[in-house]
Amino acid sequence: MGQITFLCLLIFTLAYGKSVKTERHEPRKFPDGFRFGTATASYQVEGAWNVDGKSENIWDRLSHTQPCVINNCDTGDVADNSYYNYKRDVEMMRELGLDFYRFSISWSRLLPTSFPDHINREAVHYYNNLIDEMLKYNIEPMVTLYHWDLPQKLQDLGGWTNPNMVDWFTDYCRNIFELFGDRVKTWFTINEPREVCYQGYAGMSKAPNLNISGYAEYHCAKNLLVSHAKVYHMYKNEFNKEGDTIGIVLSSRWCEPESEKHVQAAEDIFQFELGQYAHPIFSNTGDWPAVMKNNIASKSAAQGFYRSRLPEFTPDEVEMVKGSSDFFGLNHYTTNLVYRNESVEGYHASPSYYDDANAILYQPADWVGSYPGTTWLKVVPWGFHKLLNKIREEYNNPPVYITENGCATNPGIMDDSRVSYYMSYLAAMLDAIEEGSDVQLYTAWSLMDNFEWYFGYDDRFGLYEVDYSVEERTRTPRKSAYFYKDLLRTRTLDVHYEPDMSIPMEIDIGH
């Protein structure tokens, strides 16, 4: 065993040991039919922000008017230039041997007025080319309908806090289904609603960069869930083909109680973060978790409001929302500890989302980060295992699509920490599968480095490194790309595997 391999295995064992009953060093096969892919999002890779008829979205507006809320004042104006480099992107998919590629469509590129009165034919041409190029090589296109880049015109009208978004989003999606539905079988309605609503409208950590916590994120959440559900039923009733699936993508960290006396605090955070969106759909209630309804109602009354700050679903909306997903789409990266004691009183601003949840989250200083200096992405694979078990138990073991998982590193192609991260998190996922979780596919984030929102181009998540200093945005495979390629070729996780980077990254026969 080489020194680097031994170091990766040591990191894996130390990080993963909390959830491993016995150390597993033997190669482990994935279930028959298990699928592997990678993902990106339109604003993060496409570039071409104002060409061929594309109009302004909320990230264009934020990065141009408040540029330095983003690291290095970066923008997605050019990003990876995938609008022009899509053939190279598909070539990388072929090199890796992907089963599928998950990408999103830009609303403001496809419908420049935000509405269906004008369909941008240049955008249709681009997405047709991308989809057809993938299908030419038997790579399944999986499409995210909304991945955070709302047209600015709709934000000026209130964005996701405006109930008219239900109809606007449905009209937008109808156009996509009509244009591309003959070739796309898997659809994701909305990516990470918690990040859309809390971070965008309350936490000031995503566009549109608002701080209206305790109000806006809840109205956003209701409108977003109803929008998702209406699109789900429209697709099923009007466009569905045999074998098609459509669902929502939720994000969740694992929230571990600091000790046994904080179990309820961790459960409450789980319900506020993941349960807020999962409970209405997957618990077959069509409604918010009870702890949200109770906490927000009681706090609202104590704060002098005439009614709860949490909006209610109508009976028709309840029926529409419950069961409105064919799978449980899950994005997961890391874990936090949770506690609740007397210090929580006054810890959060009031009223606010986390004051309503009434608990405190943190990560211990001695937890290992995916790279030195990371402020949030700690390597905690046992949290992934626990989260998958929780989803199985809480929501009657739905089919789970891992729609994002990965870690950031510094620039450079020798990304041993990413290889270690993938090994440990894939092992945690296999444990959950062996214990009964119905996990059906895994998506590495990301195919290549991209614009990582407020982190700009500092956080590098790519299997391929992108050179942002040259116009061509040259893509170079990292060590993790070699690891992922072999994983997909063998359908086997081998913690002793050491990628051989002396062999050029080439396309295998069949891709």
Side-chain angles (χ1 to χ4, degrees):
M1 188 187 306
Q3 183 176 3
I4 291 176
T5 302
F6 176 78
L7 176 60
C8 288
L9 184 57
L10 177 62
I11 294 172
F12 159 81
T13 303
L14 290 173
Y16 186 51
K18 184 164 182 174
S19 70
V20 174
K21 299 179 182 68
T22 58
E23 291 187 10
R24 302 287 298 271
H25 299 312
E26 77 282 5
R28 304 173 68 184
K29 294 289 291 185
F30 287 86
D32 292 343
F34 195 89
R35 294 178 289 168
F36 291 94
T38 62
T40 61
S42 52
Y43 185 78
Q44 294 182 270
V45 300
E46 283 181 4
W49 81 275
N50 63 346
V51 303
D52 289 345
K54 179 187 168 295
S55 61
E56 185 185 35
N57 65 44
I58 56 175
W59 284 92
D60 297 323
R61 174 67 62 87
L62 178 70
S63 65
H64 296 154
T65 62
Q66 303 177 59
C68 296
V69 302
I70 298 166
N71 287 5
N72 311 308
C73 310
D74 290 334
T75 76
D77 289 0
V78 179
D80 296 353
N81 230 4
S82 285
Y83 187 73
Y84 302 105
N85 288 332
Y86 73 90
K87 287 191 175 182
R88 172 58 180 145
D89 293 348
V90 176
E91 183 180 55
M92 296 188 297
M93 302 173 206
R94 298 172 64 201
E95 290 170 355
L96 293 171
L98 300 185
D99 298 317
F100 66 87
Y101 175 62
R102 175 184 168 231
F103 66 98
S104 74
I105 288 176
S106 166
W107 191 334
S108 60
R109 189 181 300 282
L110 185 68
L111 301 181
T113 68
S114 308
F115 305 109
D117 59 318
H118 174 58
I119 298 172
N120 183 0
R121 292 300 162 186
E122 292 299 324
V124 175
H125 182 65
Y126 166 66
Y127 291 117
N128 274 334
N129 284 342
L130 176 59
I131 290 168
D132 292 344
E133 187 76 4
M134 282 188 275
L135 290 173
K136 185 192 304 184
Y137 301 107
N138 300 312
I139 300 164
E140 181 185 348
M142 294 187 176
V143 172
T144 305
L145 298 166
Y146 180 74
H147 198 135
W148 302 0
D149 49 351
L150 189 70
Q152 182 61 40
K153 179 185 289 186
L154 300 187
Q155 185 56 49
D156 292 342
L157 295 172
W160 287 103
T161 64
N162 185 335
N164 288 303
M165 276 296 297
V166 176
D167 289 334
W168 298 337
F169 183 64
T170 303
D171 293 344
Y172 159 66
C173 293
R174 177 182 293 279
N175 275 270
I176 293 175
F177 296 150
E178 291 174 346
L179 289 164
F180 311 116
D182 58 326
R183 286 154 293 159
V184 177
K185 299 187 299 182
T186 303
W187 302 92
F188 306 101
T189 54
I190 296 168
N191 181 78
E192 296 188 351
R194 177 188 168 274
E195 280 61 33
V196 173
C197 293
Y198 172 71
Q199 294 192 8
Y201 290 85
M204 297 188 71
S205 51
K206 295 287 185 294
N209 198 42
L210 300 177
N211 180 16
I212 317 173
S213 191
Y215 316 89
E217 67 268 67
Y218 301 137
H219 289 273
C220 170
K222 181 193 170 182
N223 295 332
L224 189 149
L225 281 166
V226 175
S227 297
H228 149 77
K230 187 169 182 179
V231 167
Y232 174 86
H233 291 291
M234 175 182 69
Y235 188 80
K236 289 295 185 183
N237 292 333
E238 301 180 37
F239 297 95
N240 196 55
K241 308 181 298 296
E242 185 178 356
D244 286 5
T245 57
I246 181 170
I248 195 167
V249 172
L250 307 180
S251 62
S252 184
R253 51 189 164 189
W254 175 246
C255 293
E256 177 76 5
E258 187 182 64
S259 68
E260 288 186 8
K261 71 177 185 178
H262 300 293
V263 169
Q264 189 59 53
E267 174 64 16
D268 291 353
I269 286 290
F270 175 86
Q271 295 300 340
F272 264 79
E273 292 197 340
L274 181 60
Q276 179 177 7
Y277 300 96
H279 190 83
I281 297 171
F282 296 99
S283 70
N284 206 34
T285 67
D287 203 357
W288 311 113
V291 68
M292 284 191 68
K293 296 173 71 173
N294 295 337
N295 280 22
I296 298 170
S298 63
K299 281 182 173 284
S300 297
Q303 291 157 351
F305 290 90
Y306 294 134
R307 64 193 67 84
S308 175
R309 289 176 279 104
L310 182 67
E312 296 182 359
F313 292 99
T314 68
D316 286 345
E317 289 167 345
V318 165
E319 291 303 311
M320 187 190 306
V321 170
K322 66 181 181 181
S324 60
S325 195
D326 295 335
F327 50 79
F328 196 115
L330 177 65
N331 294 352
H332 172 77
Y333 291 91
T334 193
T335 288
N336 283 66
L337 295 184
V338 183
Y339 70 93
R340 175 186 293 143
N341 57 27
E342 63 279 357
S343 69
V344 75
E345 189 68 31
Y347 184 86
H348 302 290
S350 177
S352 72
Y353 178 73
Y354 282 107
D355 182 64
D356 291 337
N358 197 37
I360 298 172
L361 300 97
Y362 74 101
Q363 292 179 314
D366 60 349
W367 280 7
V368 177
S370 64
Y371 72 94
T374 183
T375 58
W376 69 278
L377 214 167
K378 306 297 183 179
V379 183
V380 194
W382 53 260
F384 191 27
H385 178 227
K386 289 190 172 188
L387 177 59
L388 290 171
N389 286 344
K390 174 75 168 176
I391 291 169
R392 181 177 74 242
E393 296 160 2
E394 186 91 358
Y395 303 115
N396 195 30
N397 200 17
V400 174
Y401 291 5
I402 306 302
T403 38
E404 288 181 24
N405 180 239
C407 73
T409 62
N410 295 122
I413 62 171
M414 299 303 293
D415 57 343
D416 293 287
S417 61
R418 180 176 288 110
V419 174
S420 174
Y421 180 99
Y422 280 134
M423 283 184 176
S424 60
Y425 275 71
L426 287 164
M429 184 182 73
L430 279 172
D431 282 351
I433 291 172
E434 290 174 4
E435 293 163 13
S437 291
D438 187 16
V439 184
Q440 299 187 359
L441 62 81
Y442 177 88
T443 313
W445 184 271
S446 176
L447 175 63
M448 55 193 155
D449 294 337
N450 51 62
F451 177 86
E452 279 297 334
W453 313 113
Y454 274 29
F455 293 101
Y457 299 103
D458 285 349
D459 276 13
R460 302 297 186 95
F461 277 86
L463 296 169
Y464 283 73
E465 180 169 56
V466 176
D467 185 350
Y468 292 104
S469 69
V470 298
E471 183 178 351
E472 296 77 17
R473 298 300 198 261
T474 306
R475 289 96 152 108
T476 303
R478 289 193 168 101
K479 187 174 184 178
S480 57
Y482 286 84
F483 161 77
Y484 203 56
K485 177 184 178 74
D486 195 69
L487 178 79
L488 273 58
R489 180 181 60 81
T490 64
R491 306 285 152 155
T492 301
L493 179 65
D494 184 355
V495 297
H496 299 285
Y497 173 71
E498 180 68 25
D500 184 359
M501 297 180 67
S502 67
I503 301 173
M505 181 68 80
E506 295 178 342
I507 297 168
D508 293 334
I509 295 174
H511 283 277

